[in-house]
Amino acid sequence: MTSVDDALLAVDSVSQNFGGVQAVRDCSFVVRSGHVTGLIGPNGAGKSTLMEIIAGGLRPTRGRVVLRGEDITGKLRSTVGRMGLVRTFQTARVFPRLPLMENLLIGRQVQRGESLARAWLPPLWRAQEDELRARAEELLEEVGLSHRRDALGGELSGGQMKLLEIARALMANPTLLLLDEPIAGVNPRLVDTVVAVIERLRGRGIEVLLVEHNLSFVGRVCSDVIVMAEGTVLAQGDLDTVRADRRVIDAYLGSA
Ligand SMILES: Nc1ncnc2c1ncn2[C@@H]1O[C@H](COP(=O)(O)OP(=O)(O)OP(=O)(O)O)[C@@H](O)[C@H]1O
Ligand SMILES: [Mg+2]
């Protein structure tokens, strides 16, 4: 059993209340290094809330989040991002009127919390800008969007927006990437691209924790699966094992 301090990421007795709603209830699990981990569960289980807590968007009402032995509970998104942990959102956050390149460069500034003041130092700015543009070009290629490089964000399909968001997250050079429903609304033809992107990330040693409802996708990419319902963890293991768990079956049937 991996302990909180040895784990890649540990969620330890986390609760989150929104007024009278308890979105997350005393939730604990560890994410182990070397796995693509899937977080699954019925609608309203608390998955996205937990992703936001982990990624520094929300300080939990109770409990703590530990990244590679370091307590990151309540740290800012930019601080957590500099520590290598970056998330994407369930609804892709694309700037519709900006070209893809600008969508990616904005990501870098926001995710890493870089000081805008640095942009006023011309030589440094120029060198940095060139480097970032080259990196953005590479990432467009990586996620299969090079052929759309002249498009505006709003001209992409839903699936392409999801891929653009993954590329934007990668601009921050994460070591742990959190993906919230990476194939929701994605055309089946693009699902293979998402799978290939995740496999390449794994090949480069980037860890992935993802939320997804599509269990055949989860079965393809995840070697460890955590099941949540009503704000808490019901089971963890490989997909076949957790699917056979009585509590998991009941939770899914109960929400059907
Ligand atoms: N900002 C908020 N204010 C109030 N309630 C919230 C807020 N965010 C989430 N909730 C509630 O918390 C619960 C968990 O929501 P959450 O979005 O985390 O679930 P989820 O597992 O991601 O669901 P889905 O699979 O539908 O995306 C839900 O009851 C939701 O309505
Ligand atoms: Mg969600």
Side-chain angles (χ1 to χ4, degrees):
M1 186 85 189
T2 314
S3 79
V4 167
D5 288 328
D6 296 338
L8 165 64
L9 177 78
V11 169
D12 185 19
S13 307
V14 167
S15 296
Q16 179 67 50
N17 300 338
F18 293 113
V21 177
Q22 195 169 20
V24 180
R25 303 165 192 256
D26 196 23
C27 183
S28 297
F29 59 80
V30 296
V31 175
R32 291 175 294 154
S33 188
H35 290 269
V36 173
T37 304
L39 184 59
I40 66 171
N43 293 115
K47 305 178 299 292
S48 295
T49 303
L50 204 47
M51 296 285 256
E52 191 62 353
I53 290 169
I54 294 169
L58 202 57
R59 175 183 274 280
T61 313
R62 275 186 299 283
R64 63 192 185 126
V65 181
V66 180
L67 176 66
R68 298 189 182 87
E70 188 167 339
D71 192 327
I72 60 165
T73 318
K75 285 197 194 299
L76 293 175
R77 195 189 300 283
S78 53
T79 307
V80 174
R82 275 193 296 274
M83 293 171 75
L85 193 163
V86 174
R87 74 165 296 192
T88 66
F89 292 87
Q90 187 165 344
T91 306
R93 297 187 170 183
V94 167
F95 297 93
R97 290 169 189 275
L98 293 182
L100 303 198
M101 180 62 67
E102 307 309 318
N103 264 278
L104 294 184
L105 295 175
I106 281 178
R108 172 73 181 201
Q109 282 183 343
V110 172
Q111 300 258 357
R112 299 298 294 250
E114 282 178 1
S115 159
L116 273 180
R118 287 177 75 177
W120 298 105
L121 297 170
L124 178 60
W125 181 81
R126 197 170 288 268
Q128 208 181 28
E129 167 103 1
D130 288 350
E131 197 184 305
L132 291 178
R133 282 186 183 274
R135 177 74 181 133
E137 291 282 359
E138 257 174 45
L139 287 172
L140 282 181
E141 181 79 41
E142 165 104 42
V143 301
L145 287 178
S146 298
H147 66 294
R148 307 267 4 231
R149 69 178 308 288
D150 296 324
L152 300 178
E155 292 167 348
L156 298 183
S157 71
Q160 289 172 332
M161 286 185 190
K162 288 274 187 184
L163 287 162
L164 182 67
E165 229 204 354
I166 294 175
R168 186 201 286 135
L170 292 173
M171 285 296 286
N173 296 321
T175 51
L176 171 56
L177 182 61
L178 271 47
L179 304 173
D180 198 346
E181 301 202 16
I183 65 157
V186 174
N187 180 314
R189 279 182 299 117
L190 275 186
V191 170
D192 287 343
T193 308
V194 177
V195 172
V197 167
I198 292 173
E199 283 171 354
R200 277 201 300 275
L201 295 179
R202 278 304 312 139
R204 296 210 302 270
I206 297 173
E207 312 274 3
V208 179
L209 169 64
L210 61 88
V211 169
E212 188 47 62
H213 282 289
N214 183 318
L215 295 187
S216 76
F217 173 82
V218 169
R220 278 175 81 185
V221 300
C222 299
S223 52
D224 197 20
V225 176
I226 297 162
V227 189
M228 281 184 77
E230 297 182 0
T232 200
V233 172
L234 295 185
Q236 182 167 4
D238 64 57
L239 183 62
D240 288 341
T241 308
V242 297
R243 275 177 117 167
D245 189 303
R246 189 73 242 169
R247 286 164 306 172
V248 175
I249 295 166
D250 289 347
Y252 271 90
L253 288 178
S255 73

